[in-house]
Amino acid sequence: MTSLRIPVALIISAVFGLVLSGCKANDTPEASGEHVVSVRVSEVAGGEAQEITLRFSGIVRSTQRATLTFQISGTLKERAVELGQTVAAGDVLARAYNPALEPARDSANAKLDELNTRYDQAKREWERSSRLHERGVVSEQNLEQIAARRDSLKASVATAQASLAEATQLLQESTLRAPFAGRVEALLVENDEFVAAGQPVVRMSSPKGKEVEVRVPAYLLGHVSLDQELPVWSVQNRSEAPVVGSVVEIAQAGAIRGELHSVLVSLPINTLDTGEPVEVGITPKRESAITVPLLSVIRSADGMTVFRVREGVARRVPIQVERVVGERVVVRTGELEPGDQVVYAGITRLVDGDAVEVR
């Protein structure tokens, strides 16, 4: 039995050697550029990948809007506008009545008149005393006392002027005027109702611009930027094409768990109506890894390489293999780009710089 095993082993070794020699002969490349090598190629995958568009709901609102209040408390005695009415800047919207405002203004005015009279008298007295002091009739001490009384009255006049200005301003605050041209959206107080200082009375908006505010998770803030265009769909007409809005404000991410953050989107003029429910689309983007076919990777003495084909010529490109995913390899390289073509069949006949024919 030993005599039979030895010839069989010798035969297998000889056949294996012939196969290897034949492969080496076939793998020996010819001189670069002397012939065209037929190869098969595959595209490099990766780069920036877009995920599914996420939609966030919001309500269209006017860019310029205001909730108006009185700076004084009182009873609403006059409401000069109706709901939905268009007003111009400066138009009277409402008036409140406070019984203490007018008497306070009149009292401040009377006090100012009194102090002005006393101040004028003190000035004349000082002028007379100055002349008498030059003649030696009035002493230096008496002249200084008269001057001090005059200066004190001058300061009192200034205080009375400030009090009158305050009382006048408070009386003016009892009249509510439109800060800009627009439309009355809501009337929040009825006639003869008591209105506290700072209580909302009228809400109005301007038709000049529209916007929508949506609230998104913190991780999505990195996927939007100022002036970025986002699609805006009308909930009522989902079959229509979306309106293209522009990002104008992005909130800063906070440290509160689960908190949503505001993204403000400006809308084109004459597109969506105020109060209309809409959805704003945000498409997250991520950088995916660059992958090549597993069959395209060549191990050599200089490391891992692939043959990249450009303009009919194959060139070696060094790569670093990170991991294998199925039939593809995740690589790290500064030369390969998504969309490049690499050879995965016919590699054994290639030399750097060969002309190739893609089958």
Side-chain angles (χ1 to χ4, degrees), residues 51 218-225 228 230 282-286:
E51 299 180 358
Y219 82 94
L220 278 180
L221 296 179
H223 297 273
V224 293
S225 59
Q228 178 182 348
L230 298 178
I282 299 178
T283 305
K285 297 181 180 179
R286 57 182 175 85

Side-chain angles (χ1 to χ4, degrees), residues 38-90:
S38 181
V39 297
R40 291 184 179 179
V41 298
S42 177
E43 285 192 355
V44 177
E48 188 179 77
Q50 292 187 350
E51 299 180 358
I52 299 175
T53 299
L54 304 177
R55 297 192 180 192
F56 298 89
S57 61
I59 302 294
V60 177
R61 67 188 187 190
S62 298
T63 302
Q64 188 177 25
R65 58 196 182 280
T67 300
L68 307 178
T69 65
F70 288 109
Q71 299 302 308
I72 52 94
S73 59
T75 304
L76 188 67
K77 284 300 181 182
E78 179 185 354
R79 199 176 65 184
V81 293
E82 298 295 335
L83 187 64
Q85 181 177 336
T86 301
V87 296

Side-chain angles (χ1 to χ4, degrees), residues 6-37:
I6 295 174
V8 171
L10 291 174
I11 292 171
I12 293 174
S13 299
V15 171
F16 187 68
L18 290 174
V19 171
L20 287 178
S21 62
C23 291
K24 290 180 180 179
N26 291 334
D27 290 346
T28 302
E30 298 182 11
S32 175
E34 293 182 355
H35 69 294
V36 177
V37 181

Side-chain angles (χ1 to χ4, degrees), residues 271-342:
T271 52
L272 299 170
D273 296 328
T274 304
E276 186 173 351
V278 295
E279 292 178 339
V280 178
I282 299 178
T283 305
K285 297 181 180 179
R286 57 182 175 85
E287 295 291 332
S288 62
I290 293 179
T291 63
V292 297
L294 179 61
L295 296 177
S296 66
V297 179
I298 308 169
R299 181 188 295 273
S300 64
D302 297 330
M304 299 291 189
T305 60
V306 294
F307 277 107
R308 179 178 60 190
V309 177
R310 284 186 177 177
E311 298 179 355
V313 178
R315 295 288 185 185
R316 282 184 181 270
V317 176
I319 61 172
Q320 293 181 3
V321 176
E322 292 187 349
R323 63 184 184 276
V324 178
V325 182
E327 297 182 352
R328 300 186 70 85
V329 179
V330 178
V331 300
R332 185 170 64 252
T333 174
E335 297 188 36
L336 285 182
E337 297 178 355
D340 283 347
Q341 293 184 330
V342 293

Side-chain angles (χ1 to χ4, degrees), residues 95-125:
R95 285 190 174 91
Y97 172 70
N98 186 318
L101 294 181
E102 289 190 13
R105 182 200 58 185
D106 295 341
S107 174
N109 194 19
K111 183 67 175 178
L112 179 60
D113 291 341
E114 177 189 354
L115 290 172
N116 277 327
T117 301
R118 293 172 60 187
Y119 175 60
D120 292 339
Q121 181 182 359
K123 285 195 300 182
R124 290 191 298 269
E125 183 179 356

Side-chain angles (χ1 to χ4, degrees), residues 208-219:
K208 291 184 178 180
K210 295 184 179 66
E211 63 186 16
V212 58
E213 179 185 4
V214 294
R215 303 184 68 82
V216 302
Y219 82 94

